[in-house]
Amino acid sequence: MSNRIIPDSNDTEGLVQRNTMEMQKNDQHSTVIIGGEDNEEGMGCCGILLTAISWLLVICTFPFSMCACVKVVQEYERAVIFRLGRLLPGGAKGPGIFFVLNCIEDYTKVDLRTVSFDVPPQEILTKDSVTVSVDAVVYYRISNATISVANVADAHHSTRLLAQTTLRNVLGTKNLADILSEREYISNTMQSSLDEATDPWGIKVERVEIKDVRLPVQLQRAMAAEAEASREARAKVIAAEGEQKASRALKEAADVISESPAALQLRYLQTLNSISAEKNSTIIFPLPVDLLSHFLQKR
């Protein structure tokens, strides 16, 4: 009779997690970035010979050779050194002093400070078929000096071109109302998209901001007329509500005055007092209210 072993659920989950981690590691190792790893192959006999001759020349011309071989880079700079056309192991050099064999080595300085540039105004057709002109500003810096030199010919120019196309692609999927009201969300979307695309170039996009959205003149006039009409409609509604509240207050006041005849006489005297206080040429002949009520009773 054969014995079968039933695997535990915890063991199965652990096995799946280990397989997933191994697959992720394999994917990471399969992604090769030019300049991101050290050169394992040797220079060959010719390279070794040229290196020995260069060191011999440096020693023979010492200390004058130090003036040409010793280089300095600032705190915010790094130097990517190529020996016989190949990257030196150890990555970029700096900051401070480093040594270069001028006969067989060449180096490129890379500035690590944050750089900003304006994206030129882009004519974009929105999702609701409205043509707008949008410009933006992008802040980025070089995060890996070696990759930015070895993987792309001109990292700065490539980032500028990619920012223009990303701006057009992102805004082309939005309505005009979304572009005007959701600038922060659009900026964050562009920043994440640019950062992901420029990561193989050694570029870190720190911030993207939309500067201005220019609308056609006819559309501006139409939107201004629409806003003015809506304001006038709200003003009429507010005036109508005020008239309604005033009429209710007058009705309540009339009901109170009708309950007491003396109140009507006091109101009459208050009106005369307010008219006489003003400096005008109006002549008022007061007529007793009781006299009017007497004539009304005869009718």
Side-chain angles (χ1 to χ4, degrees):
M1 184 175 180
S2 61
N3 295 328
R4 292 181 298 175
I5 299 175
I6 300 175
D8 191 5
S9 60
N10 296 328
D11 296 337
T12 305
E13 293 178 357
L15 181 61
V16 172
Q17 292 179 357
R18 286 195 297 270
N19 292 334
T20 304
M21 294 175 63
E22 290 178 359
M23 292 175 62
Q24 292 178 355
K25 289 180 180 179
N26 293 332
D27 293 338
Q28 292 177 357
H29 289 300
S30 61
T31 304
V32 179
I33 299 176
I34 300 175
E37 56 187 9
D38 298 335
N39 294 323
E40 298 180 356
E41 298 180 359
M43 293 183 296
C45 297
C46 183
I48 295 174
L49 179 61
L50 291 176
T51 303
I53 294 174
S54 299
W55 278 109
L56 182 60
L57 291 175
V58 170
I59 294 172
C60 293
T61 57
F62 186 83
F64 301 102
S65 59
M66 293 294 101
C67 299
C69 295
V70 176
K71 305 294 181 182
V72 179
V73 291
Q74 304 296 329
E75 182 69 28
Y76 52 84
E77 293 178 337
R78 297 295 182 271
V80 181
I81 303 176
F82 293 88
R83 177 176 294 175
L84 297 175
R86 306 183 65 177
L87 284 171
L88 283 183
K93 307 297 181 182
I97 300 174
F98 62 97
F99 192 84
V100 175
L101 294 174
N102 288 329
C103 300
I104 59 174
E105 291 182 353
D106 189 14
Y107 73 97
T108 302
K109 282 186 180 181
V110 179
D111 196 334
L112 303 182
R113 292 177 293 182
T114 299
V115 181
S116 63
F117 68 91
D118 293 328
V119 179
Q122 303 293 315
E123 295 290 337
I124 300 170
L125 183 64
T126 61
K127 190 176 180 180
D128 50 354
S129 301
V130 178
T131 303
V132 295
S133 178
V134 184
D135 56 351
V137 59
V138 179
Y139 299 88
Y140 71 96
R141 61 180 175 84
I142 294 178
S143 59
N144 192 317
T146 304
I147 295 178
S148 65
V149 173
N151 281 21
V152 60
D154 192 343
H156 299 283
H157 183 64
S158 301
T159 304
R160 287 176 170 83
L161 294 179
L162 184 61
Q164 297 179 19
T165 56
T166 304
L167 179 64
R168 298 175 68 92
N169 294 336
V170 171
L171 296 184
T173 59
K174 302 292 182 180
N175 295 325
L176 178 60
D178 297 337
I179 295 176
L180 297 177
S181 61
E182 299 180 357
R183 290 193 177 187
E184 184 176 357
Y185 173 75
I186 294 173
S187 299
N188 294 333
T189 303
M190 286 187 57
Q191 189 268 336
S192 59
S193 178
L194 280 174
D195 191 19
E196 182 179 358
T198 57
D199 185 65
W201 302 342
I203 300 293
K204 172 65 177 177
V205 178
E206 297 179 342
R207 191 178 183 87
V208 177
E209 291 292 340
I210 296 177
K211 293 175 60 178
D212 190 16
V213 179
R214 299 184 183 88
L215 304 177
V217 179
Q218 296 179 354
L219 182 59
Q220 293 180 11
R221 293 176 181 174
M223 294 177 66
E226 181 182 0
E228 184 178 359
S230 63
R231 287 194 296 268
E232 290 179 356
R234 287 195 299 268
K236 291 181 180 179
V237 171
I238 294 173
E241 292 177 353
E243 292 290 339
Q244 184 180 7
K245 293 179 181 179
S247 62
R248 290 178 180 176
L250 289 174
K251 181 180 179 299
E252 294 176 359
D255 295 338
V256 173
I257 292 175
S258 63
E259 295 177 356
S260 175
L264 181 60
Q265 186 67 25
L266 291 174
R267 182 60 182 165
Y268 177 71
L269 294 175
Q270 288 178 357
T271 304
L272 290 178
N273 187 19
S274 61
I275 294 175
S276 62
E278 299 178 0
K279 296 180 180 180
N280 49 30
S281 59
T282 304
I283 300 174
I284 300 174
F285 294 96
L287 183 64
V289 179
D290 296 338
L291 181 62
L292 293 176
S293 61
H294 178 70
F295 284 108
L296 292 174
Q297 289 178 1
K298 287 184 178 181
R299 290 184 181 180

